[in-house]
Structures are given as C-alpha cells and as structure tokens.
Amino acid sequence: MQVTTEQLDPCKIALTISVQPERVEVARKKAFQQAVSSLQLPGFRRGKVPPHIAKNYVDEARVKQRAAESLVPDAYRDALVQTSVEPFAEPDMEFVSMDDGEAFIFKALIPLRPQITLGLYKGLELERRKITITDSDVEKELESVRGRYAEYPEIEDRPSQTGDFLMVDLTAIVEGQDLPELAEPKATMIEVGKNIPDLDAGLVGLSKGDTKTIEATYPEAFENEDLRGKRGAFTVAVKEVRSRVLPELTDELAKRSRPKVESVEELRVDIRERLEKDAEQASENEIEFHLVSKIVETSQIHFPEVLLRAEVNAELQQLSQTLEQNKVTPEQYLASIGKSVEQLQGEMAVGATQRIKNSLVLSEVARTESITVEEADVDAKLTEQAEQAGVSVAAVRAYVESQGTLDRFRDQALTEKILTYLKEISKVSERTLTTAELEAEEAAKAEAPAALEATEEAKPKKRAATKKKAEEPAIEVAPEAEAAPAVEEKPKRRTKKTEAEAPAES
C-alpha cells in the first residue's frame, strides 16, 4: 500500500492512500456476492442467482461503493502506522478513483493536535482598577429595588409623557419596505424615552384611542448597521397609557426584597456588601482577561478547524435551547437582532476563536510550569458550590458524580491555579476609582474608535465627527414583553474546555 503525505497547514495533513489492485478485487468480489445474496429473480431462490445472470441486475456503482467502504477503515489504520501520524479527531475522507483492475485511491484529511508556542507570560505589567462603592451606588440600587415593585396604573386624564408605557398595536415600514416582524399590527408595550429620538418625540402627547404614524430616522450610530440613516414610518394605535409609580422605601419593602434583612438600613448594608463583592470580582475578572489576552497576543497558536466547529455548534445549541424556553423562533430572534444566520455564526466564530486560544494558552502554561490539580483543589470547589447552594458537600459530590460532571470542577480548579500563578509572577499596579469614573472611562474608550471611524468616513463624504454611544433599539419594549434574549458579545472571563485537554472555564 502506497501513502503520500501533504501538510495542508500546521494542524491538518492529507494522506493520499493507494490500496493494491488485488485487495480491491477481493473487496469488490465480496461486495458483489453480498449484493447477489439479497437478489431475487423469477425462477431462482433468493441468493441463488448465477453470477453471469446476476451481474445484469446488480448496480455496479453500489458494488464499488460497498467495496470502498470495506477497504477504507483498515487502509486508513495501516496508513497511520506507516506514516506515524497521530490524528486529533476523525478525518474527512475524499474518494479519488477506483477503476477496474486498478488501485483504489482515496484521501484522508486529518486534523492534528493544536500547536502552541508560548509568548511572554512572566513579568507582565498590568493595572488593577479597584472600584470604590459610594453612597450614590447604594442609592441607585435602592431605586432598582423600588423599580421591581413598581405599579403601572392606567392613565386617562392626561396624554403620554417620557417615562410612561404605551400598549399599542404597532406596524413599521422602513424606506418603503415592511419590517418582517412588524408587517402586521403587533401588540407591543413601549417605554417612552427608551427608543430612537425621533420616535420618542412622536410618542409624547398620545392618549388612549389615538392612532399616529411617526416618521423617524435611524441614527448613524444605530446598532443595526443595515438601518443606519434610513427613514422609517411607525404606526401606533394606542390601547393603553400607563405611568410608572414607585413604592415608598419602607422596612416592609426592604424585607420583601431581601428576606434576611429587617429594615431599610440593613438593606443598605447588604447592598453595599454585595456591590463591594461584585466590584472585587469584576476587578479580578478584568485583570485575568487582560493577562490572558496579552499572552495570546505574543503566542503562536494553531488549532484544527474541528475545534472551532464544535465550539460554534455548542453555542448555537445553547442559544436554540434558550430560545425554545422563551418560546421564540429562530426567525423571530434573527429579526430582533437584525442579522442573518451567517452573520450570527460569523460573530460566534470570532468569540469562539478567542476562547479556544485562551484555553490552549492556559493549558500550555500548565504543562510548561507543571501546574496540576490535587483532590484537595477539587474538594475546595465542591465546598464552594455546596455553600452557595446551602447543602452538604457530600450531596454536591454525589450529584456531580451521578451527572458525570466532576471533571468540570477539576477543570475550574486547574484554571484558577493557573491564573493565580500568572498573577503572582506579573507586575500588578493598582488604581482606585469610583463607579462613575469607571463608566466615564469605558464611555471614552467606546467613543475613541467610533470617532476615528467617523473621521475616516468623513473624508469622501460629510459625516458626524464623533459617534454617540450605542443606540437603543428603535422600539424599547417593557421587560415582560421582550421577545428574545440578547447575545453576549463581551469577552467571557472563562474559557470553555477544548478537546485538547485544555483547562475549562478560565
């Protein structure tokens, strides 16, 4: 048997395998006999048709296919031994030729293990942004508590104003074309003040029973690029106008929102503790993200396409389950985010690529530095889970073992040990700022690339020099009326496990 190799990329090799004619003939005869064994013609018992007659009734192409299928497994295994190739996953097979009296030739396109050459990972300079929780942050959370128990009485003695909620039958046309999801009147609850500016302006001053068509232009910074700058006509038939009435912040409300507290002051303390804990975790998440990103940037990372396909498929399956739980069809979801299936998959592939790289880099650091997980590390993760759930460690262990998910805790423990090691060998400075200062910094970061983009676009034609922050949807529905969840686009702190035995959820 002859085998030739062709390196297609660092993680993919093609083996062209040629099986000797005599082996092919044996396989072909066997396949022919199998076909004859199921053949039944008048005057002959099943399987007893003479070969010289049967050949006129047997599909020769099917015989060749069966012969090829029988030859491939052994020939492929022999080729791996002959070439010492170690597959990472199952290959894709390509039929080349199988002529009478000639060799059977096929190709095996074989994914190979990921290849990682670590860049700089020791002594990295990082900044930890430590958030100080202020009284203003606590008060904002208290307002959110009141918002959760708000009432929405119907208004009939005045027209709508900003902050009101309108229950309307809505249709929309953009540039003369119906929006698919709003071609027919759709019952929608709209919060005035949370939509594109022209639309919000037109929603003010409406009363129950009013019908109005509002002309509105999508801003140049609108999230859906296909709608930017386009003119829309939104027709609303108002069924109800409701205001938002917040309850008084009392000890009773505090207890309703948080059973373990007895008063508003205790609720304030509880909120501050939670915000401080969340801020500390967010700070750690951020520094870990930047740490791993820096290592990825200076490393050489190659991985087979099969890893990317598996990651994207897993994310699509998770999204599908979420949509099904929310009784939202894929078509409705795509319409709500203004993207095609191909666009969504492309975006998922970008995020999946980054997660795979993160995971592979962490795995290589663990291998290089001999970082391993002990049973005590796994027990600590199980204890943490038990405390959060308010059950015994034994109960948690029994459950995860029954579900076959103990390795997930082992992966989490390993990832945390790797990240702890990397932070210990890095040069980390610390800067303290308030939530408001943090938000201002993030807004400035978002404005910078947008302003540059607008400047570039302004060269051939006149456009705004700066870009506003990401716009709200054209229509902002009330929480209970939302049709679909949002797709997370921000970098995830934890990377998923790959087939390359990389630590999970980093």
Side-chain angles (χ1 to χ4, degrees):
M1 187 177 72
Q2 293 182 344
V3 183
T4 58
T5 63
E6 180 185 3
Q7 193 77 39
L8 302 179
D9 63 47
C11 294
K12 190 175 186 179
I13 193 170
L15 300 186
T16 301
I17 304 167
S18 179
V19 183
Q20 303 94 322
E22 53 270 25
R23 286 179 62 183
V24 177
E25 182 60 21
V26 170
R28 193 198 65 78
K29 287 181 177 179
K30 186 176 181 180
F32 177 78
Q33 189 55 48
Q34 288 174 339
V36 171
S37 67
S38 61
L39 186 64
Q40 186 171 10
L41 296 177
F44 299 95
R45 288 180 296 166
R46 180 185 295 275
K48 299 299 182 179
V49 180
H52 68 281
I53 296 176
K55 68 180 182 179
N56 296 317
Y57 297 92
V58 171
D59 184 351
E60 183 61 26
R62 179 60 180 157
V63 169
K64 282 188 176 182
Q65 181 180 344
R66 285 183 174 178
E69 290 171 352
S70 68
L71 288 167
V72 164
D74 289 341
Y76 174 62
R77 282 193 294 269
D78 293 344
L80 293 181
V81 173
Q82 186 173 323
T83 59
S84 299
V85 170
E86 297 183 4
F88 177 72
E90 291 299 314
D92 292 325
M93 299 296 188
E94 290 183 0
F95 177 89
V96 178
S97 65
M98 191 178 189
D99 298 327
D100 291 342
E102 301 291 335
F104 165 44
I105 303 174
F106 68 98
K107 274 188 177 182
L109 307 176
I110 306 172
L112 303 178
R113 293 184 65 81
Q115 297 183 17
I116 307 99
T117 302
L118 280 177
L120 182 65
Y121 67 94
K122 294 183 178 180
L124 295 175
E125 295 186 0
L126 299 164
E127 179 186 72
R128 176 184 282 107
R129 296 192 296 182
K130 185 176 180 181
I131 309 303
T132 299
I133 300 302
T134 64
D135 291 343
S136 176
D137 297 323
V138 176
E139 293 304 315
K140 189 180 294 185
E141 283 297 305
L142 287 171
E143 285 301 296
S144 296
V145 170
R146 294 176 66 199
R148 289 200 296 271
Y149 296 94
E151 295 182 351
Y152 298 86
E154 189 171 356
I155 300 169
E156 296 184 349
D157 59 349
R158 66 167 175 81
S160 62
Q161 59 190 31
T162 299
D164 286 343
F165 289 80
L166 304 182
M167 178 59 76
V168 305
D169 285 340
L170 173 69
T171 56
I173 296 175
V174 176
E175 304 263 321
Q177 301 291 322
D178 289 331
L179 287 180
E181 69 274 22
L182 295 173
E184 298 294 331
K186 180 180 180 181
T188 308
M189 183 174 283
I190 308 173
E191 182 177 0
V192 182
K194 296 292 186 178
N195 314 286
I196 61 177
D198 290 348
L199 180 58
D200 274 329
L203 291 172
V204 173
L206 297 181
S207 300
K208 182 177 180 179
D210 288 348
T211 297
K212 182 178 181 181
T213 297
I214 304 168
E215 299 287 336
T217 300
Y218 286 88
E220 290 297 332
F222 191 66
E223 182 178 3
N224 185 344
E225 294 182 6
D226 294 337
L227 293 175
R228 291 176 182 174
K230 291 188 176 181
R231 189 76 174 169
F234 301 86
T235 300
V236 293
V238 182
K239 304 300 181 184
E240 293 178 1
V241 179
R242 292 181 178 272
S243 64
R244 183 170 184 256
V245 179
L246 297 177
E248 184 181 351
L249 186 59
T250 62
D251 291 346
E252 182 182 354
L253 181 65
K255 286 187 282 187
R256 284 180 63 194
S257 67
R258 196 77 168 156
K260 72 176 186 178
V261 305
E262 295 293 331
S263 66
V264 172
E265 287 309 309
E266 286 186 17
L267 179 60
R268 279 195 171 92
V269 172
D270 182 78
I271 287 175
R272 183 178 290 276
E273 290 176 351
R274 176 173 56 81
L275 290 178
E276 288 174 345
K277 182 178 179 181
D278 290 347
E280 183 179 354
Q281 184 62 61
S283 177
E284 287 305 304
N285 290 353
E286 181 182 54
I287 201 169
E288 289 171 3
F289 171 75
H290 289 304
L291 175 59
V292 176
S293 295
K294 281 192 172 187
I295 301 172
V296 168
E297 286 173 6
T298 59
S299 299
Q300 296 180 21
I301 307 167
H302 302 282
F303 58 87
E305 188 180 353
V306 64
L307 269 185
L308 182 59
R309 289 201 303 267
E311 187 79 2
V312 171
N313 287 340
E315 191 167 355
L316 285 170
Q317 184 176 7
Q318 185 177 24
L319 174 61
S320 178
Q321 292 173 349
T322 300
L323 295 179
E324 187 175 348
Q325 290 169 1
N326 286 275
K327 294 180 171 49
V328 177
T329 68
E331 292 76 17
Q332 289 172 329
Y333 176 71
L334 291 170
S336 72
I337 62 174
K339 294 172 184 173
S340 65
V341 174
E342 292 74 20
Q343 288 173 318
L344 180 60
Q345 289 177 327
E347 291 178 357
M348 286 182 172
V350 172
T353 297
Q354 189 61 50
R355 291 194 298 275
I356 292 170
K357 287 182 177 181
N358 292 350
S359 187
L360 292 174
V361 158
L362 291 177
S363 178
E364 187 64 13
V365 170
R367 188 193 66 79
T368 303
E369 299 296 336
S370 301
I371 301 173
T372 58
V373 173
E374 309 297 334
E375 282 305 309
D377 301 317
V378 180
D379 290 341
K381 295 302 297 180
L382 293 173
T383 300
E384 180 183 320
Q385 182 69 31
E387 290 175 352
Q388 291 175 359
V391 297
S392 69
V393 177
V396 172
R397 178 178 284 277
Y399 177 77
V400 298
E401 287 179 347
S402 69
Q403 297 297 307
T405 56
L406 187 60
D407 282 345
R408 186 179 67 182
F409 289 86
R410 184 170 284 106
D411 292 336
Q412 290 175 354
L414 176 57
T415 298
E416 290 186 7
K417 289 186 75 171
I418 299 167
L419 290 171
T420 298
Y421 167 77
L422 289 172
K423 285 184 286 188
E424 287 173 350
I425 62 173
S426 296
K427 300 174 183 178
V428 182
S429 61
E430 191 170 277
R431 180 164 60 95
T432 301
L433 65 168
T434 66
T435 302
E437 291 169 339
L438 175 67
E439 290 174 352
E441 282 191 8
E442 293 302 309
K445 286 181 183 178
E447 289 282 354
L452 178 60
E453 176 187 339
T455 301
E456 290 298 316
E457 292 179 349
K459 291 178 181 178
K461 58 181 180 180
K462 225 172 184 181
R463 295 188 66 168
T466 58
K467 185 177 180 181
K468 295 180 181 179
K469 65 180 180 179
E471 290 289 339
E472 298 84 5
I475 299 290
E476 177 73 14
V477 297
E480 63 270 21
E482 287 190 46
V487 175
E488 182 180 2
E489 296 181 347
K490 294 181 180 179
K492 296 181 181 178
R493 181 177 88 92
R494 302 198 177 273
T495 57
K496 294 184 179 179
K497 185 179 180 182
T498 71
E499 297 176 32
E501 300 175 351
E505 299 184 26
S506 69

